[in-house]
Amino acid sequence: MDWLSFTLITTLIKIVGLCFVAILGLVSYTVYAERRVSAIIQDRVGPNRVGLPLTLLGFKKDVSFLGLFQPLADGIKFILKEDFTPAHVKKFYFWLAPALCLVPALLTCAVLPFGSSITIPWNGSERTIPLVIANLNVGPLFVFAIASLGVYGIVLAGWSSNSKYPFFGSVRSTSQMISYEISLGLSLVPVLLVMGELNLVTISQQQSEHGWNLLPYSLRDGFDLNRWLLLIPLGLAFVTFVIAMFAETNRLPFDLPECETELVGGYHTEYSSMKFALFFMGEYAAMIVGSGITVTLFLGGWSLPLGLDNYLPKGTVWVGLLHTAVFFSKLIAFLIFFIWVRWTLPRFRYDQLMRLGWIWMFEICLANVLLTAGILWYIS
Amino acid sequence: MARRPLVKNFTKGACCGHPSFHIEPLGIFPDPMSEPTVAPAATDAKPSVEMVNVQVDGVWMKFPKGMRMIKALEEAAKVIPHYCYHPKLSSPGNCRMCLVEMGMPSRPAPGQSEPEKDEHGFAKIQWIPRPAISCANTISEGMGIRTASTMVEEVRKGVMEFLLINHPLDCPICDQAGECRLQEFSVGFGRGQSRFQDEKVHKPKNQDIGARIVLDDERCIMCSRCVRFSSEIADEDVLGFTERGSQTVLTTHPGQRLDHNYSLNTVDICPVGALTSKDFRFQMRVWFLKETPSVCTGCARGCNTEIGSREGVIYRQTPRQNDDVNSTWMCDQGRLDFHWVNSDRRLIDPMLKDGAHHRTTTWPQAVSAVADKLRGLRGDQIAIIGSGRMTNEELFMLKKLAAALKTESLDIVPRTGAADNYLVSADRNPNTAGAGLIFCDRPGSTLATIRQKVASGEIKAVIAWRENLLEQAGFTVEELSQLEVLVAAHVMANAMAELAHVVLPTAAWSEKRGSMINATGRLQRLNKASEPPGNARDDWEVLRDLTQALTGTNGLYLVEDVFKSMATEIPELGGLSLGKIGEAGLPLLPSSEVIPLLHREADRKTRGIIVG
Amino acid sequence: MATKLLKRPKLTFGEKIYLPAIAKGLIITLGHAVRTFLQINAKKPKFTMEYPEEKWDAQLPDYYRGAPALVTDEHGRERCVSCQLCEFICPPRAITITPGELPKDDAFAKVEKAPREFKIDMIRCIYCGMCEEVCPEQAIFLRKDYAITGTSRAEMVHDKTRLYEIGGIRTGLVNKWNDLK
Ligand code: SF4
Ligand code: SF4
Ligand code: SF4
Ligand code: SF4
Ligand code: FES
């Protein structure tokens, strides 16, 4: 009983903390970052104003905090905007779609290990809390399974909107997602072959001990040529995975489902107010989770580089928190990379997108699997 | 280029009507008059007519002898700009816009028996150095016509320049803009710039010359179409020119006004904005109007019309050419009888009587209320009074309702007036013939009997469709009040609707598709120009729902289906469909009626006064 | 115009895999980002003005396309004759005109026509200037007002009064309704 209530409470805290505080908080600040980064890339300033409206309270000056309150203002705006449901839509599905878009993205973060573990005293005994919501031993598969549900949101949105641009957007999105899901899955196979493991917690753990997959050096183990040899397929896997990730999350240069120049707003053209915001959040949440997976699989998850974790005491609260901080720093760095790429590259043409997906990515990923297997066989 | 088989009204440019959107110089004025029905193929049609060979822009063609040049050129699909010529009026040849280059076959040189031949074996053409008007000359054997030579282009430019010398730059405030021949031809054939330095001649503007007409003399180009129309067609010679040269003005003869019942036709044929309709003036620019071909329902003539509407509001109605019905004219009374369509008095919700007052309700409730009220009654206790203003489809559905109720007391309300000697028919119901064919045997014959039975209480329920029984049919308020059930379908609120237990709002003639049969037995089609207001519905749908509520069967979802099932039941309509009727209509029933205006027109045509 | 045929350049392998080009692009954007970041930190961004404290109103060029408005001329005549050409040309259909007739005793009765109501829906207007360009009467101009706000849809519809208020009097226009011309 005691064990059950403990697990329930900690899991609930983790769910609320990760899904709602961390991820949704990150979503709003990613949007803010997107705006500021895009601004400086384009020699602009970006939103730098929204802060505390102290003048309303009789003070001389507002405090702007670099515009850090912008997401808050955006949120309020979204809530207050007219929530308009056009007459020609299929109401039920029209309402369902935004939720279907956001929920899978939030679900997938359940298997992300966002830190090592924390041991705290509870009812007189020591208890260890693993810093992951669900310690599944089929982590990546779960992520793929759930993440691909997100496409239903988009398809339903496009179809139920009963209007041409959303329809085109959703058709594009579907074929794009299906095409790139294959490369996404295949590009991970080398990692799984090398790690021999499907559990994201264990994968992070191993990287913390033996060095990251992309930085295979740990002070304890020393130099290991075999692992550096494996860096070739792993590096390739990283590149293909990241590209497929971009395509899966509909980010530029692959944002054809919602490309403004052709499709107005793509699948969410007919949406407004909070329903639109849900799509928006779903998209960014997917991006965050995608970054999380990349970080976990290739960049050591919550671990410090070079196997430094081996020298830290395990399970203490501050180490747990340090690991969480490390995880989120990596995540944020990767998000900024996402943004940076978006404001650098132009959009693909649709046939180019499909060509890249089927002719290049798919083949390269397949070859990479064989290459990894070959190297592993050679090493052993 | 596919041309529409039927032309619209004469002077109204058939093309899109916006001044600045004419791009090609030719073919932009698909002249309504110049419908090249079957070009030179007329040869095959009537071999008895003597044919002559004419060279048009270098191509030899055959035309019937004695044909007007402009008509022959039309048939050769040439665009000849013109102002004063109108096929239904005499040709004074006074605007000079239709000038072409003409040539005659050369005669044999002295000492030769044969003239010199061209490569087609025709005598070589000697071109006349002076242009000729094509509207008043006829063709002859071996003649040559050039419509696009430099000379023709130059003279057109010249004529346009003269016409524009004193023309005010009124286009922004001129009602004709967008369908103005002067605009169109100056874009197509004019110089594009004025060289005139002096002050323009000023003439009276905004003159009230008739009950429905305003005249602006500055804009008049003295084509005299309006003058000829009034004297030749309407037999009221009220218009004429006074003064001379640049000072010439059109005016009414002293003490007279342009007030006859066909006066608005002068507005249609005026190629410029000199004559404007008080009713349509400044209401809406023509380029916004959606043009829906329809039929006037003012009387049994069924003049073909075009309804000009924008965003569900009708702004005008103009005649559409149909040489078997109304030529190119219509009476003012019929033309202006549309303002009620957009009036505030339209019924927009079905209503049920609750005690002394009506309350609005929904269609399903109204329909089931009618069905409930009628279900307890025997067939001989129910009478159905339809209207000669209903379409065939509606009458057919009303008949179906009668069958479902097993009643045999059916009739329509006759409506008559004096016929004029032009178009207006004595029968003011547009579809009496249709009612006779589809609904009741001799329309109007049993109405008195029904009224008696209502008075005696034998008939307990009356369904009145689109007729105010108090007005036309002579029922009294007492008679109608004693009825157990009174169902009334109306377009407008009226005194009889006040008495009805159920009021059903239905659609005006411009808000539906359907067919009617006119006094000469011609089957014609109405098209939908706008939507019924509020919750008002198409009559046939309401009738279908009523029948359905009573019988539980019926699978008609389109008015086309109604016609289809009508065509299977009524032999005269066999094999027809709404689509097959076409915009020109089809002769259906035999009739001995003569249309006075068309009769005189045919006469003038045989005498060669008009082209026709 | 002569047609010039251009050959597609042959790409080397390095160019074909795009990754170097992408890297180059990323470096360029990074350069911009860093530069602007430093400028912002030093509180003097190169191009941006801090609206509303700083405004560019004084430098707005004459052809600036702000809110469309109707103008009166020096004779006090409302120039619009409700020809409805602007209503026709307006791409987002922002303009709705109810034409009307001038009373016979009006000083400019000769002009016959004036708008009874003239509405521009500023939610729809895209400030394209087509209305100004098409107007045959020099009656509608895009003025320099760009901060058009309102708290309801109705408020965003400029009616005739408001349009003349924004437009004001404009002198030196062609006066074709003068009898002298
Ligand atoms: S008023 Fe019109 S139709 Fe009559 S003469 Fe003048 S231009 Fe011709
Ligand atoms: S004659 Fe009859 S059908 Fe023709 S316009 Fe007049 S009322 Fe209408
Ligand atoms: S500026 Fe453009 S969009 Fe605005 S009213 Fe004028 S024409 Fe319409
Ligand atoms: S185009 Fe000019 S004159 Fe015509 S309606 Fe518009 S503003 Fe008035
Ligand atoms: S049309 Fe021939 S002279 Fe007028």
Side-chain angles (χ1 to χ4, degrees):
Chain A
M1 216 44 237
D2 175 46
W3 173 84
L4 190 64
S5 61
F6 175 78
T7 319
L8 264 182
I9 290 169
T10 50
T11 310
L12 262 182
I13 292 176
K14 280 187 288 189
I15 290 176
V16 171
L18 186 68
C19 288
F20 294 99
V21 179
I23 302 273
L24 288 189
L26 253 183
V27 165
S28 41
Y29 279 90
T30 316
V31 178
Y32 171 73
E34 177 106 50
R35 298 171 69 177
R36 299 271 354 214
V37 171
S38 70
I40 56 172
I41 284 179
Q42 298 172 343
D43 296 351
R44 294 182 288 114
V45 174
N48 64 342
R49 291 197 159 246
V50 184
L52 293 180
L54 291 181
T55 37
L56 289 185
L57 306 173
F59 287 86
K60 275 245 147 40
K61 244 176 102 96
D62 288 337
V63 178
S64 75
F65 287 136
L66 302 169
L68 275 174
F69 283 27
Q70 185 71 39
L72 211 69
D74 284 348
I76 293 172
K77 187 192 80 172
F78 270 129
I79 292 168
L80 293 184
K81 276 226 158 180
E82 182 181 357
D83 191 350
F84 188 78
T85 307
H88 54 71
V89 302
K90 305 195 170 50
K91 291 236 165 46
F92 177 71
Y93 300 105
F94 188 79
W95 282 67
L96 185 66
L100 270 189
C101 222
L102 179 63
V103 168
L106 290 183
L107 275 185
T108 40
C109 66
V111 290
L112 276 187
F114 55 92
S116 49
S117 55
I118 297 179
T119 312
I120 51 165
W122 174 270
N123 272 356
S125 62
E126 298 268 292
R127 287 192 185 267
T128 305
I129 315 167
L131 288 182
V132 60
I133 294 173
N135 189 353
L136 274 191
N137 46 16
V138 286
L141 299 188
F142 174 81
V143 171
F144 290 154
I146 301 294
S148 55
L149 288 181
V151 77
Y152 281 106
I154 294 180
V155 168
L156 276 186
W159 173 73
S160 67
S161 291
N162 200 2
S163 131
K164 59 188 166 187
Y165 295 127
F167 183 72
F168 280 135
S170 66
V171 168
R172 281 186 182 188
S173 168
T174 325
S175 49
Q176 176 175 335
M177 288 213 163
I178 291 172
S179 313
Y180 278 85
E181 220 147 71
I182 298 177
S183 327
L184 195 72
L186 277 179
S187 63
L188 275 195
V189 175
V191 186
L192 306 179
L193 279 178
V194 172
M195 307 299 287
E197 185 57 72
L198 267 175
N199 187 326
L200 290 173
V201 176
T202 328
I203 289 179
S204 305
Q205 185 65 39
Q206 282 189 13
Q207 291 187 71
S208 81
E209 283 165 20
H210 307 290
W212 304 350
N213 276 338
L214 285 190
L215 187 62
Y217 181 79
S218 114
L219 293 174
R220 197 182 63 184
D221 300 358
F223 183 75
D224 179 352
L225 181 71
N226 291 342
R227 294 201 58 205
W228 284 91
L229 199 59
L230 278 172
L231 194 56
I232 301 168
L234 284 183
L236 203 57
F238 176 69
V239 173
T240 48
F241 182 79
V242 168
I243 293 177
M245 198 79 212
F246 271 90
E248 279 294 295
T249 49
N250 294 334
R251 287 286 292 188
L252 220 83
F254 305 111
D255 68 338
L256 287 109
E258 46 188 301
C259 73
E260 303 86 350
T261 37
E262 297 157 29
L263 297 183
V264 187
Y267 56 85
H268 54 56
T269 305
E270 306 283 351
Y271 285 87
S272 57
S273 182
M274 219 45 212
K275 289 210 274 305
F276 166 75
L278 284 188
F279 279 115
F280 207 62
M281 278 153 57
E283 212 165 282
Y284 277 90
M287 184 171 134
I288 291 166
V289 171
S291 311
I293 304 275
T294 322
V295 165
T296 309
L297 288 175
F298 295 97
L299 300 172
W302 42 262
S303 61
L304 291 169
L306 312 176
L308 289 175
D309 294 311
N310 294 328
Y311 307 102
L312 295 174
K314 281 205 173 64
T316 47
V317 173
W318 69 268
V319 171
L321 291 182
L322 173 74
H323 283 157
T324 308
V326 168
F327 177 78
F328 279 106
S329 318
K330 288 181 192 172
L331 190 73
I332 288 167
F334 208 79
L335 283 176
I336 289 183
F337 175 69
F338 252 96
I339 295 170
W340 180 17
V341 168
R342 167 168 181 186
W343 296 100
T344 302
L345 298 185
R347 180 181 298 133
F348 272 67
R349 214 168 55 203
Y350 204 73
D351 62 323
Q352 293 171 333
L353 174 91
M354 282 295 153
R355 213 178 132 82
L356 180 74
W358 287 102
I359 305 211
W360 295 106
M361 298 280 292
F362 180 50
E363 271 71 6
I364 290 177
C365 294
L366 262 187
N368 198 21
V369 172
L370 295 181
L371 179 68
T372 322
I375 294 177
L376 282 176
W377 174 75
Y378 168 78
I379 292 171
S380 65
Chain B
M1 190 170 76
R3 299 270 191 135
R4 283 200 286 164
L6 235 204
V7 292
K8 21 195 268 175
N9 157 343
F10 272 173
T11 52
K12 312 299 168 190
C15 49
C16 65
H18 185 257
S20 61
F21 273 43
H22 294 146
I23 294 161
E24 309 161 62
L26 285 184
I28 51 172
F29 314 119
D31 188 334
M33 278 161 267
S34 61
E35 282 309 318
T37 29
V38 247
T43 344
D44 317 328
K46 285 189 205 130
S48 60
V49 180
E50 196 188 331
M51 304 300 279
V52 293
N53 293 299
V54 176
Q55 192 203 53
V56 177
D57 287 343
V59 181
W60 284 96
M61 297 178 171
K62 276 191 190 321
F63 297 102
K65 191 176 175 189
M67 195 180 222
R68 213 65 79 78
M69 232 181 200
I70 198 166
K71 179 83 179 160
L73 290 172
E74 250 174 62
E75 299 206 340
K78 300 288 170 196
V79 175
I80 306 297
H82 57 268
Y83 291 112
C84 69
Y85 164 78
H86 189 293
K88 308 285 183 188
L89 301 174
S90 61
S91 304
N94 60 6
C95 75
R96 320 310 285 181
M97 193 63 205
C98 63
L99 289 170
V100 291
E101 193 174 352
M102 187 175 107
M104 297 306 279
S106 54
R107 271 179 293 196
Q112 278 176 323
S113 61
E114 287 273 294
E116 212 181 325
K117 296 274 166 70
D118 68 359
E119 69 273 26
H120 302 285
F122 292 105
K124 268 226 162 111
I125 293 170
Q126 281 196 318
W127 295 97
I128 301 171
R130 210 169 44 123
I133 52 172
S134 59
C135 66
N137 286 309
T138 46
I139 49 168
S140 61
E141 178 61 37
M143 182 188 254
I145 306 174
R146 286 177 181 158
T147 68
S149 62
T150 322
M151 188 234 258
V152 175
E153 276 171 19
E154 288 296 318
V155 295
R156 282 178 185 163
K157 257 190 205 144
V159 171
M160 275 315 299
E161 191 168 18
F162 276 127
L163 285 175
L164 290 170
I165 277 183
N166 284 311
H167 198 83
L169 287 175
D170 260 1
C171 300
I173 60 164
C174 175
D175 247 14
Q176 191 80 1
E179 51 180 13
C180 174
R181 289 295 173 97
L182 204 60
Q183 277 185 334
E184 291 173 359
F185 295 160
S186 65
V187 171
F189 310 103
R191 289 175 48 87
Q193 256 177 354
S194 169
R195 295 183 292 181
F196 192 66
Q197 302 281 335
D198 289 310
E199 195 186 329
K200 299 194 173 202
V201 175
H202 291 294
K203 296 179 186 173
K205 292 175 88 77
N206 202 350
Q207 306 169 67
D208 184 357
I209 60 161
R212 293 171 288 279
I213 310 262
V214 174
L215 166 68
D216 185 318
D217 259 317
E218 281 188 346
R219 296 183 197 144
C220 173
I221 57 166
M222 271 68 75
C223 72
S224 81
R225 276 180 170 190
C226 54
V227 179
R228 281 173 283 140
F229 175 83
S230 295
S231 69
E232 294 171 17
I233 311 281
D235 303 318
E236 289 218 14
D237 202 354
V238 292
L239 292 171
F241 294 112
T242 60
E243 308 294 337
R244 290 166 38 162
S246 309
Q247 312 289 336
T248 315
V249 286
L250 175 78
T251 179
T252 46
H253 293 166
Q256 294 197 309
R257 280 167 69 80
L258 182 55
D259 273 347
H260 55 72
N261 192 24
Y262 291 83
S263 63
L264 284 171
N265 291 302
T266 59
V267 175
D268 298 337
I269 57 173
C270 179
V272 294
L275 294 173
T276 47
S277 151
K278 281 185 190 166
D279 181 67
F280 177 62
R281 197 174 145 81
F282 302 160
Q283 297 307 304
M284 191 43 65
R285 299 322 297 249
V286 294
W287 52 77
F288 289 116
L289 298 182
K290 179 181 82 175
E291 294 170 334
T292 313
S294 186
V295 171
C296 171
T297 55
C299 77
R301 182 67 53 236
C303 293
N304 287 206
T305 62
E306 194 152 76
I307 300 174
S309 61
R310 181 186 184 200
E311 289 167 16
V313 178
I314 301 178
Y315 287 93
R316 73 170 176 189
Q317 187 171 216
T318 46
R320 182 162 58 91
Q321 183 173 7
N322 189 335
D323 286 345
D324 294 318
V325 182
N326 57 323
S327 181
T328 54
W329 324 111
M330 76 187 288
C331 76
D332 291 2
Q333 199 187 342
R335 176 195 302 248
L336 297 180
D337 187 20
F338 65 85
H339 288 287
W340 52 272
V341 173
N342 302 114
S343 86
D344 294 339
R345 283 182 45 232
R346 284 293 297 269
L347 294 168
I348 51 168
D349 276 304
M351 286 186 287
L352 290 177
K353 195 159 195 169
D354 243 0
H357 294 287
H358 284 96
R359 64 174 168 86
T360 58
T361 178
T362 61
W363 274 108
Q365 277 172 9
V367 166
S368 60
V370 175
D372 291 345
K373 283 183 200 294
L374 293 176
R375 217 166 263 136
L377 297 171
R378 287 196 318 274
D380 56 4
Q381 293 174 322
I382 304 173
I384 297 185
I385 300 176
S387 166
R389 290 175 165 177
M390 292 163 72
T391 64
N392 294 334
E393 291 74 10
E394 291 159 6
L395 288 165
F396 179 74
M397 295 307 291
L398 195 59
K399 178 98 183 192
K400 288 262 155 243
L401 179 67
L405 292 167
K406 302 196 182 53
T407 170
E408 271 154 21
S409 308
L410 312 175
D411 210 343
I412 65 162
V413 180
R415 186 179 272 110
T416 50
D420 68 0
N421 198 19
Y422 303 92
L423 287 170
V424 180
S425 158
D427 180 0
R428 298 293 160 85
N429 270 333
N431 198 20
T432 312
L437 181 68
I438 294 158
F439 186 60
C440 48
D441 285 336
R442 283 177 25 250
S445 58
T446 56
L447 195 60
T449 326
I450 293 177
R451 201 186 142 194
Q452 265 167 22
K453 287 186 182 170
V454 170
S456 70
E458 205 175 316
I459 285 177
K460 295 197 165 60
V462 169
I463 300 174
W465 214 268
R466 302 290 296 278
E467 286 292 356
N468 182 349
L469 298 181
L470 294 174
E471 262 173 27
Q472 293 289 334
F475 283 73
T476 61
V477 176
E478 294 72 46
E479 283 166 3
L480 293 181
S481 323
Q482 74 184 36
L483 285 169
E484 270 175 36
V485 186
L486 179 58
V487 179
H490 284 300
V491 176
M492 312 275 281
N494 58 30
M496 188 202 142
E498 278 297 314
L499 301 174
H501 301 113
V502 186
V503 181
L504 306 170
T506 59
W509 103 104
S510 59
E511 293 160 353
K512 59 175 75 154
R513 206 168 137 81
S515 61
M516 288 192 176
I517 304 175
N518 75 359
T520 48
R522 195 178 182 84
L523 181 65
Q524 309 199 92
R525 192 175 67 200
L526 305 176
N527 291 308
K528 191 174 192 160
S530 55
E531 294 291 329
N535 289 321
R537 283 174 74 194
D538 217 338
D539 301 62
W540 79 265
E541 287 181 352
V542 179
L543 287 164
R544 185 237 2 235
D545 288 356
L546 283 176
T547 319
Q548 215 157 356
L550 285 163
T551 61
T553 52
N554 213 330
L556 297 171
Y557 298 101
L558 292 172
V559 70
E560 276 78 6
D561 296 342
V562 180
F563 197 99
K564 240 182 249 167
S565 81
M566 194 159 71
T568 56
E569 288 183 27
I570 294 165
E572 282 85 348
L573 295 173
L576 291 176
S577 70
L578 260 187
K580 279 190 193 149
I581 296 175
E583 301 309 359
L586 294 170
L588 186 76
L589 305 176
S591 144
S592 56
E593 172 145 345
V594 175
I595 306 168
L597 192 144
L598 292 193
H599 179 70
R600 289 195 295 275
E601 181 180 301
D603 178 49
R604 278 203 303 278
K605 191 173 170 182
T606 25
R607 287 195 284 139
I609 300 174
I610 62 168
V611 171
Chain C
M1 209 169 59
T3 318
K4 209 165 150 193
L5 270 185
L6 291 180
K7 268 228 164 76
R8 252 178 210 287
K10 263 246 167 296
L11 299 184
T12 62
F13 178 75
E15 285 166 334
K16 261 192 202 148
I17 59 168
Y18 295 118
L19 292 177
I22 291 177
K24 224 192 233 164
L26 286 173
I27 289 169
I28 292 175
T29 45
L30 185 65
H32 276 268
V34 170
R35 217 175 320 136
T36 319
F37 182 72
L38 294 179
Q39 281 170 6
I40 295 173
N41 262 5
K43 296 247 180 282
K44 45 171 189 273
K46 212 160 152 194
F47 304 111
T48 311
M49 261 182 184
E50 288 289 334
Y51 183 88
E53 289 85 2
E54 299 172 313
K55 279 186 184 158
W56 208 43
D57 291 9
Q59 289 106 301
L60 285 183
D62 277 340
Y63 49 80
Y64 185 79
R65 300 203 312 255
L70 295 173
V71 301
T72 3
D73 60 18
E74 54 267 59
H75 311 294
R77 185 174 79 81
E78 46 172 305
R79 295 190 61 93
C80 174
V81 297
S82 63
C83 73
Q84 296 184 287
L85 280 177
C86 50
E87 180 174 359
F88 181 76
I89 203 83
C90 178
R93 298 209 202 161
I95 303 178
T96 317
I97 299 169
T98 317
E101 189 161 3
L102 284 178
K104 283 241 161 57
D105 54 356
D106 192 284
F108 292 96
K110 180 183 176 185
V111 185
E112 292 184 58
K113 248 183 125 180
R116 191 135 47 90
E117 189 43 276
F118 198 119
K119 287 191 172 136
I120 303 185
D121 187 342
M122 294 311 294
I123 298 178
R124 288 186 155 222
C125 176
I126 53 171
Y127 303 90
C128 63
M130 297 272 226
C131 48
E132 174 174 338
E133 197 169 325
V134 82
C135 180
E137 297 286 334
Q138 294 184 301
I140 192 165
F141 289 91
L142 268 65
R143 302 323 287 268
K144 293 183 185 176
D145 310 56
Y146 51 81
I148 306 293
T149 55
T151 51
S152 66
R153 280 170 194 267
E155 216 176 301
M156 292 301 284
V157 178
H158 287 176
D159 62 2
K160 203 171 122 175
T161 332
R162 179 101 181 81
L163 289 172
Y164 276 115
E165 208 172 275
I166 303 177
I169 296 173
R170 192 140 178 165
T171 53
L173 302 173
V174 174
N175 276 314
K176 71 176 189 191
W177 295 103
N178 274 7
D179 274 338
L180 291 176
K181 173 77 187 47

